[in-house]
Amino acid sequence: MKKVGIFGGSFNPIHVGHVSLAKEILRRARLDEVWLMVSPQNPLKRNDSDLLDDSLRFEMAQKALEGVEGVVACDYEFYLPKPSYTWNTLQHLAKDYPDYTFILLIGGDNWAHFQRWRHWKDILWHHDIIVYPRDEHRGTIDVPLLPVSSTEIRQKVRAGESISGLVPKCVEALVEQYYQ
């Protein structure tokens, strides 16, 4: 069985913290792959007016992960009913990839509110979960986090400030173009 970590998010935009975290969890949890599941719509963030078009966020994620072994951008949720509920995604993945074991990767901030997720008990029953530390919330895996956020990056672009070092160099120009 191939062990794949599902790291979902809007990646609006993808940044060096996302890439670093995915690589660290891949290594420390001894996963075969980590799929960065670019989410078209987070049901808990329905009023996100800053959300860039799905295809553009996916394009940046793909480009940012070129040459990053074991970590891939994934648009699987784009083809599922919206909004994107993790439980639905995991159900479809299990059906489409019967020889894979899917492990959910979530931040401690989401773990603190996990009971709000649709079918959260079913997720716990059928899937392992790796919780990484986020903000003031602790995790089940000890990984270093980079102090960067997508919100901060969008704000810096709009203010005309440098985002050098916050996003992978290969997507810096795209981020500056898309988030003006």
Side-chain angles (χ1 to χ4, degrees):
M1 290 288 252
K2 191 171 191 175
K3 289 174 36 180
V4 175
I6 299 298
F7 180 8
S10 59
F11 304 105
N12 190 39
I14 190 166
H15 56 65
V16 294
H18 295 133
V19 178
S20 173
L21 180 62
K23 287 168 43 178
E24 274 299 305
I25 292 175
L26 175 77
R27 184 179 69 79
R28 291 183 187 213
R30 294 186 172 91
L31 301 175
D32 295 302
E33 289 182 337
V34 169
W35 293 359
L36 264 69
M37 187 75 63
V38 180
S39 179
Q41 181 185 17
N42 179 333
L44 299 177
K45 295 182 182 178
R46 289 187 192 201
N47 297 326
D48 190 354
S49 60
D50 268 351
L51 190 63
L52 192 66
D53 181 74
D54 298 347
S55 62
L56 298 178
R57 289 181 291 117
F58 180 64
E59 170 194 1
M60 287 188 292
Q62 278 186 304
K63 190 169 185 67
L65 296 173
E66 286 175 2
V68 179
E69 192 173 330
V71 183
V72 296
C74 183
D75 64 353
Y76 188 85
E77 284 189 341
F78 293 4
Y79 308 100
L80 298 178
K82 293 172 189 54
S84 300
Y85 291 106
T86 300
W87 180 79
N88 289 344
T89 301
L90 292 170
Q91 291 287 102
H92 281 87
L93 285 169
K95 181 178 157 224
D96 290 346
Y97 298 91
D99 295 332
Y100 287 40
T101 298
F102 293 101
I103 297 102
L104 184 61
L105 313 178
I106 65 171
D109 55 338
N110 281 318
W111 180 247
H113 304 287
F114 194 70
Q115 296 80 7
R116 293 177 50 203
W117 290 30
R118 180 169 282 193
H119 299 287
W120 66 275
K121 289 180 183 176
D122 292 326
I123 295 171
L124 285 175
W125 183 258
H126 296 286
H127 298 277
D128 288 336
I129 298 176
I130 294 174
V131 181
Y132 55 88
R134 177 102 192 260
D135 300 327
E136 72 276 0
H137 301 280
R138 296 174 47 163
T140 60
I141 189 169
D142 184 27
V143 291
L145 296 179
L146 300 177
V148 59
S149 77
S150 295
T151 301
E152 171 193 10
I153 292 165
R154 293 191 307 269
Q155 290 169 345
K156 282 183 174 289
V157 169
R158 289 188 186 118
E161 298 174 20
S162 172
I163 57 169
S164 180
L166 299 177
V167 299
K169 189 74 174 156
C170 60
V171 297
E172 192 173 318
L174 290 176
V175 171
E176 288 171 344
Q177 174 189 342
Y178 294 155
Y179 291 96
Q180 275 295 342

